[in-house]
Amino acid sequence: MSELIKVVDLKKDYKNDGIVTSVLHGLTFVIKAGEFVAIMGPSGSGKSTLMHILGFLDHLTGGQYWFSGRDVSQLTDDELAVKRSTKVGFVFQQFNLLPKTTVLDNVMLPLLYVELSDKERRQRAEQAIESVGLTHRQSYLSNQLSGGEKQRVAIARALVNNPSLIFADEPTGNLDSKSGEQIMSILDRLNSDGRTIILVTHDTIIAEHAKRILRIRDGLLVAGEKVSEELRQPALSGELK
């Protein structure tokens, strides 16, 4: 597998009223295309900050970050915006759906600034909704859905631009265990289909769906390990409903 992400001595500081707070203290690692990697750590460890940098939502303060062989620090704001909209998809704990908007329209949102016809936008969105088993809900308003269904809509929205990389930030944090396992089953399947998955979590059981875990504590990479097949959490079988 080729290198998708490479970071060397990555640092992140925040400045507020002249006070500098260091969050990431020099991380070095590689993620290859097609991997399923969990970034694991307690609250406040810096894992979400790292995800925001890797997903082009924030800028690093020091070190280097290459994505598909390109130095991210050399990209313009427009080029970063293109990468955000075409190369990566995001799934967050809070779903971030428009509440009084249909499932279909929520999923079509990322396509508003893509040069496609209305028909093509709808077709793409319908295919993404079908891939998470929610065709029967596509005309529902998002506030009429269960938490698990909302997260499946969020995954469909992340998929609609056909990104090669999916970031999932605590995607099961607001769900019951059954709904959480359904979400992880979808991410497992997406990885089996060739997409790179980067999962951010503090939950050991959720992290063990990944094939490799990067452990972060106090802004430092303290361990990196493969997850053995014996430990990997099995995906749920059966049809999503």
Side-chain angles (χ1 to χ4, degrees):
M1 292 186 289
S2 60
E3 286 184 359
L4 180 65
I5 287 171
K6 180 179 180 180
V7 299
V8 177
D9 198 29
L10 186 149
K11 299 181 178 71
K12 178 61 181 180
D13 300 332
Y14 290 103
K15 294 182 180 179
N16 187 19
D17 293 332
I19 298 173
V20 177
T21 302
S22 296
V23 179
L24 300 176
H25 306 291
L27 307 182
T28 298
F29 59 85
V30 170
I31 295 176
K32 294 184 178 181
E35 278 201 278
F36 191 157
V37 176
I39 298 174
M40 191 175 178
S43 179
S45 61
K47 58 187 186 297
S48 290
T49 298
L50 175 61
M51 187 201 75
H52 290 162
I53 293 171
L54 298 181
F56 315 111
L57 295 170
D58 201 354
H59 297 277
L60 54 83
T61 304
Q64 295 173 301
Y65 168 28
W66 289 274
F67 183 88
S68 293
R70 291 199 66 184
D71 184 348
V72 172
S73 68
Q74 302 301 312
L75 300 179
T76 66
D77 287 343
D78 285 345
E79 288 173 325
L80 289 173
V82 169
K83 285 197 178 293
R84 276 196 303 272
S85 63
T86 61
K87 300 298 183 183
V88 300
F90 297 94
V91 180
F92 296 102
Q93 180 176 347
Q94 301 296 335
F95 316 133
N96 294 343
L97 303 179
L98 297 179
K100 295 183 179 180
T101 305
T102 66
V103 167
L104 181 64
D105 285 339
N106 266 287
V107 174
M108 284 199 295
L109 276 176
L111 299 175
L112 287 177
Y113 303 104
V114 178
E115 293 185 5
L116 295 171
S117 68
D118 290 343
K119 181 180 179 180
E120 288 172 319
R121 288 190 181 95
R122 186 182 181 94
Q123 287 176 338
R124 275 207 198 181
E126 288 176 342
Q127 289 170 357
I129 292 167
E130 181 181 6
S131 75
V132 298
L134 284 180
T135 297
H136 61 300
R137 293 281 195 263
Q138 73 176 28
S139 63
Y140 280 47
L141 302 180
S142 65
N143 58 2
Q144 295 176 311
L145 305 178
S146 69
E149 288 172 334
K150 289 178 181 177
Q151 195 60 293
R152 283 152 64 182
V153 174
I155 292 174
R157 184 183 57 194
L159 291 174
V160 76
N161 271 326
N162 195 31
S164 57
L165 171 60
I166 299 288
F167 289 99
D169 189 4
E170 301 283 7
T172 64
N174 284 335
L175 306 178
D176 59 57
S177 57
K178 181 179 179 180
S179 296
E181 282 300 316
Q182 290 180 333
I183 294 305
M184 295 312 302
S185 180
I186 293 172
L187 294 177
D188 285 337
R189 174 167 51 80
L190 292 173
N191 179 244
S192 296
D193 290 342
R195 296 182 199 270
T196 308
I197 308 291
I198 298 179
L199 169 70
V200 176
T201 185
H202 68 279
D203 187 319
T204 299
I205 293 176
I206 294 300
E208 286 175 351
H209 281 266
K211 297 174 183 176
R212 187 159 62 99
I213 298 175
L214 300 177
R215 297 184 186 273
I216 294 178
R217 183 177 293 276
D218 298 329
L220 294 167
L221 182 62
V222 296
E225 69 229 37
K226 290 185 177 180
V227 179
S228 69
E229 288 300 320
E230 291 78 12
L231 283 177
R232 283 199 76 208
Q233 294 295 319
L236 285 180
S237 60
E239 188 175 336
L240 292 170
K241 296 180 180 179

